[in-house]
């Protein structure tokens, strides 16, 4: 629990939310300012700011829940598809510093965009540059 975290306050019941799913590790509730009918947030109950801060158990519980809930949320509001995404860090648009996955139901002709629309101008990268980036990322992951 982080003292001044809105989502920890929701987990603790200090701030009301429209809860749609709950386990010992995970809570899912409707977004207060929905991008679409059924827009749902899925969070770990323990406070972690960034995806990389989650311990293995919390990460697995969170992504299991996202996997399980996405089609159910979609069906509940009779949507045709869904975007699933996490704003991981302020520069990526994260406003609430407690990890949360957005499940945004999508409807044919709703005028929205794919997740490719989230980034800025696309870089123009040569094959050599892409090779170099793949090497850097693989080395950083170091599996
Ligand atoms: P972010 O930009 O951090 O990925 O998204 C935060 C999301 O949390 C926003 O979509 C916003 O509408 C939602 N949100 C912020 N405060 C509350 C709240 O108190 N209750 C609920 N249910 N959603 C909230
Ligand atoms: Zn928190």
């Amino acid at each position: 629990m982080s003292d001044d975290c809105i989502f920890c306050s929701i987990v603790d019941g200090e701030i009301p939310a429209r809860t749609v799913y709950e386990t010992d590790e995970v809570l899912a509730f409707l977004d207060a300012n929905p991008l679409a009918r059924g827009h749902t947030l899925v969070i770990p109950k323990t406070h972690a700011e960034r995806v990389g801060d989650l311990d293995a158990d919390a990460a697995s519980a969170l992504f299991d829940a996202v996997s399980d809930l996405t089609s159910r949320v979609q069906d509940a509001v009779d949507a045709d598809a869904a975007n699933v995404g996490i704003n991981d860090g302020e520069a990526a648009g994260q406003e609430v510093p407690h990890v949360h996955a957005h499940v945004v139901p999508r409807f044919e002709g709703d005028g929205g965009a794919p997740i490719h629309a989230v980034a800025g101008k696309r870089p123009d990268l040569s094959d050599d540059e892409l090779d170099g980036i793949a090497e850097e990322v693989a080395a950083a992951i170091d599996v």
Side-chain angles (χ1 to χ4, degrees):
M1 163 91 190
S2 169
D3 278 349
D4 52 359
C5 171
I6 302 172
F7 288 175
C8 282
S9 299
I10 287 177
V11 170
D12 273 16
E14 289 160 9
I15 293 179
R18 293 183 174 86
T19 298
V20 297
Y21 178 82
E22 181 167 14
T23 66
D24 286 346
E25 294 94 16
V26 167
L27 189 70
F29 51 90
L30 294 189
D31 194 294
N33 298 291
L35 296 171
R37 287 179 61 239
H39 181 174
T40 297
L41 301 176
V42 190
I43 69 168
K45 282 189 170 175
T46 44
H47 183 82
E49 184 165 338
R50 301 284 300 269
V51 169
D53 299 331
L54 292 168
D55 65 33
D57 286 346
S60 127
L62 177 66
F63 288 101
D64 279 355
V66 170
S67 160
D68 193 28
L69 294 187
T70 299
S71 62
R72 295 169 193 259
V73 169
Q74 185 186 310
D75 291 349
V77 295
D78 221 8
D80 301 302
N83 289 114
V84 177
I86 295 176
N87 295 323
D88 188 42
E90 237 178 277
Q94 182 176 8
E95 290 179 357
V96 177
H98 180 132
V99 178
H100 50 283
H102 293 260
V103 178
V104 183
R106 296 294 304 276
F107 303 85
E108 294 290 349
D110 64 12
I115 212 142
H116 300 80
V118 298
K121 190 173 175 294
R122 288 190 186 203
D124 187 15
L125 297 166
S126 67
D127 283 349
D128 281 352
E129 287 171 314
L130 287 168
D131 289 345
I133 292 167
E135 273 172 31
E136 280 169 20
V137 174
I141 295 171
D142 195 29
V143 281

